[in-house]
């Protein structure tokens, strides 16, 4: 459904602006003088459609929408002309050209508000015909085109609060406000950190100072405990390493394991000392490396060499399984 509406808005600086925001994206609320209220939707797609439907190089600004109801007893002059531009925050009137009469009326504060004539379709703003200067705004929470005398008073008060010079520029005021916001943010962060530490007293108070000192003492104590735990862990590691060296060296000297497997058994011992000690105790001394007189060579027909017998004794594999595996490997490499 297509419907035509007239809304009202406000200019926000003393000097007639060269550009101003018409509609921000989202919900655009209107409240007319007769009490009617209505919310419209405005999206980036709607902004592009509004621009697409413009039939002239520039759209007009008039007074009180007189061009919508022309009279026969004289001309209906324009107050200015503008173009449209879609930006990330909404639809803007740009390249605004005010007539001298309209500019003087705005500077004098005789006009501060503006009203768009627009069409909606299914609740979405889809077309803008023109804008009219007015003093009866209908758009809710809209900024003025030109500031009022109250605006000057508030500016002077703000300058005093910020401790700036009386002739401070807009840039200096904005910079001071930004610094104030930054400090407020830092204060909030500090309060949040204190809250995380369990300090609920207001920041800067004696109570907060005392709680912070106690928290700091606890933090130092916790840090010392962590240091001691780290030292204890290092000592345990060193003790385990020394024990592993002693056990594995004893197994080597008794011929229970081969020297080539030394690092393997050291690593296993670090992981599970009790299991390795039990396994090494189960191995026969001299099973891997003979420690006594050399035995005679294996008799002819004996399928196992002394080295193979030592491996079987060390690993616990049965003779049958060892021989089966040996034959399979020999066949694979034949």
């Amino acid at each position: 459904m297509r419907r035509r509406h007239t809304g009202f808005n406000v200019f926000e600086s003393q000097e007639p602006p060269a550009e101003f925001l018409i509609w921000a994206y989202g919900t655009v609320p209107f409240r007319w003088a007769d009490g009617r209220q209505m919310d419209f939707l405005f999206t980036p797609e709607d902004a592009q459609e509004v621009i697409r439907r413009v039939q002239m190089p520039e759209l007009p600004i008039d007074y009180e929408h007189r061009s919508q109801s022309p009279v026969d007893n004289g001309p209906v002059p324009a107050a200015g002309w503008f173009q449209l531009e879609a930006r990330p925050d909404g639809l803007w009137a740009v390249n605004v050209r005010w007539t001298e009469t309209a500019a003087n009326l705005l500077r004098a504060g005789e006009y501060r508000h503006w009203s768009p004539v627009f069409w909606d379709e299914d609740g979405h703003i889809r077309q803008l015909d023109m804008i009219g200067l007015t003093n009866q705004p209908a758009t809710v929470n809209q900024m003025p085109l030109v500031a009022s005398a109250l605006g000057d008073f508030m500016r002077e008060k703000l300058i005093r609060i910020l401790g700036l010079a009386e002739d401070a520029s807009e840039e200096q005021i904005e910079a001071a406000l930004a610094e104030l916001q930054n400090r407020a943010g830092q204060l909030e962060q500090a309060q949040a950190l204190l809250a995380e530490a369990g300090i609920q007293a207001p920041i800067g108070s004696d109570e907060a100072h005392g709680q912070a000192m106690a928290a700091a003492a606890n933090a130092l104590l916790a840090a010392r405990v962590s240091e001691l735990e780290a030292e204890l862990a290092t000592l345990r590691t060193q003790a385990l390493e020394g024990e592993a060296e002693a056990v594995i060296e004893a197994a080597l000297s008794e011929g229970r394991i081969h020297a080539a497997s030394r690092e393997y058994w050291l690593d296993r011992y670090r992981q599970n000392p009790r299991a390795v000690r039990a396994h090494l105790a189960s191995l026969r001394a001299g099973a891997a490396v003979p420690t006594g007189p050399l035995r005679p060579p294996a008799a002819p027909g004996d399928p196992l060499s002394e080295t193979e017998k030592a491996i079987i004794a060390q690993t616990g594999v049965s003779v049958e399984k060892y021989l089966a595996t040996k034959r399979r490997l020999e066949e694979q490499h034949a």
Side-chain angles (χ1 to χ4, degrees), residues 15-324:
E15 190 64 23
E19 59 180 34
F20 55 89
L21 178 66
I22 300 176
W23 295 303
Y25 299 130
T27 301
V28 183
F30 284 87
R31 184 184 300 117
W32 284 271
D34 60 6
R36 289 181 300 124
Q37 292 188 191
M38 187 174 295
D39 291 344
F40 298 94
L41 297 176
F42 192 63
T43 67
E45 292 75 19
D46 294 330
Q48 295 298 333
E49 180 61 18
V50 169
I51 293 173
R52 189 189 69 80
R53 295 188 185 186
V54 173
Q55 301 296 318
M56 301 181 292
E58 296 177 303
L59 289 173
I61 305 174
D62 72 355
Y63 301 95
E64 306 290 355
H65 298 305
R66 289 177 186 169
S67 59
Q68 300 295 301
S69 302
V71 295
D72 296 330
N73 59 352
V76 181
W81 302 88
F82 68 97
Q83 296 174 322
L84 295 176
E85 181 178 317
R87 295 181 179 177
D89 57 343
L91 183 66
W92 283 70
V94 298
N95 302 323
V96 181
R97 297 188 299 114
W98 299 101
T99 65
E100 184 177 355
T101 299
N104 289 333
L105 288 172
L106 287 168
R107 291 190 185 98
E110 296 185 36
Y111 274 111
R112 296 186 62 235
H113 307 270
W114 59 276
S115 167
V117 176
F118 64 95
W119 297 78
D120 88 292
E121 295 174 6
D122 298 325
H124 282 257
I125 298 174
R126 303 288 283 176
Q127 181 174 325
L128 176 66
D129 290 347
M130 61 169 300
I131 284 175
L133 291 179
T134 184
N135 283 321
Q136 294 181 337
T139 305
V140 178
N141 295 329
Q142 190 179 67
M143 299 300 292
L145 271 177
V146 291
S148 64
L150 178 61
D152 292 335
F153 171 74
M154 293 303 294
R155 183 179 185 276
E156 294 173 2
K157 187 174 182 180
L158 183 61
I159 286 176
R160 288 197 300 271
I161 292 174
L162 294 173
L164 300 175
E166 292 183 0
D167 60 347
S169 65
E170 297 296 329
E171 290 76 12
Q172 290 173 322
I173 295 175
E174 290 178 2
L177 287 173
E179 176 62 22
L180 190 62
Q181 283 184 315
N182 182 48
R183 291 181 181 178
Q186 292 176 350
L187 185 62
E188 290 179 359
Q189 292 177 0
Q191 191 69 60
L193 290 174
L194 288 177
E196 289 180 6
I199 301 173
Q200 301 300 328
I203 190 169
S205 65
D206 292 340
E207 184 181 359
H209 178 72
Q211 292 179 2
M213 293 298 292
N218 290 334
L220 289 174
L221 180 60
R224 182 53 183 156
V225 169
S226 297
E227 291 176 1
L228 292 175
E229 289 177 343
E231 292 175 7
L232 180 59
T234 300
L235 290 174
R236 286 174 175 170
T237 300
Q238 292 174 349
L240 179 63
E241 195 67 25
E243 182 180 308
E245 291 280 351
V247 171
I248 300 307
E249 287 299 331
L252 286 170
S253 65
E254 294 172 358
R256 297 177 188 271
I257 58 175
H258 283 279
S261 64
R262 182 178 185 276
E263 292 302 321
Y264 167 80
W265 287 111
L266 282 172
D267 187 59
R268 290 286 303 277
Y269 195 94
R270 297 183 190 109
Q271 298 175 32
N272 195 334
R274 181 179 300 178
V276 171
R277 285 197 301 268
H279 180 74
L280 293 179
S282 69
L283 299 178
R284 182 172 54 84
V289 179
T291 56
L294 292 176
R295 297 180 182 179
D302 190 344
L304 298 174
S305 66
E306 289 299 322
T307 300
E308 289 175 318
K309 292 177 180 178
I311 292 174
I312 291 172
Q314 183 176 359
T315 60
V317 178
S318 67
V319 174
E320 292 76 12
K321 187 174 182 179
Y322 178 86
L323 290 174

Side-chain angles (χ1 to χ4, degrees), residues 322-334:
Y322 178 86
L323 290 174
T325 302
K326 179 180 179 182
R327 283 193 295 271
R328 185 172 66 255
L329 292 175
E330 290 175 346
E331 291 172 356
Q332 289 176 356
H333 294 87

